[in-house]
Amino acid sequence: MGSIGGGKAAAIAYTLIETAKVNNVDPEAWHTWVLQRLPDHKINRIDDLMPWNWQQENA
């Protein structure tokens, strides 16, 4: 990954992707959905954004 920091960032990204897959969620759709909501989301409700709580809109 080029550096320790890059390796840590990659590990986080891969973990998020695989967690979405394990929960039968499209990682790209889920990640886009999270990034759209994150700026206005309350920190004490962060669990609402986890892949196991995600449901695709307009599916």
Side-chain angles (χ1 to χ4, degrees):
M1 297 299 147
S3 68
I4 292 173
K8 288 180 181 181
I12 291 168
Y14 295 145
T15 298
L16 291 171
I17 290 167
E18 291 304 317
T19 299
K21 288 180 181 179
V22 166
N23 286 279
N24 297 314
V25 171
D26 173 25
E28 184 177 357
W30 170 71
H31 193 193
T32 300
W33 179 82
V34 168
L35 290 176
Q36 290 170 346
R37 282 152 184 77
L38 199 56
D40 299 322
H41 201 77
K42 295 188 184 304
I43 190 68
N44 62 344
R45 305 274 324 261
I46 201 73
D47 197 53
D48 295 347
L49 300 177
M50 296 297 118
W52 49 87
N53 290 325
W54 181 75
Q55 293 194 6
Q56 187 173 7
E57 299 167 354
N58 302 321

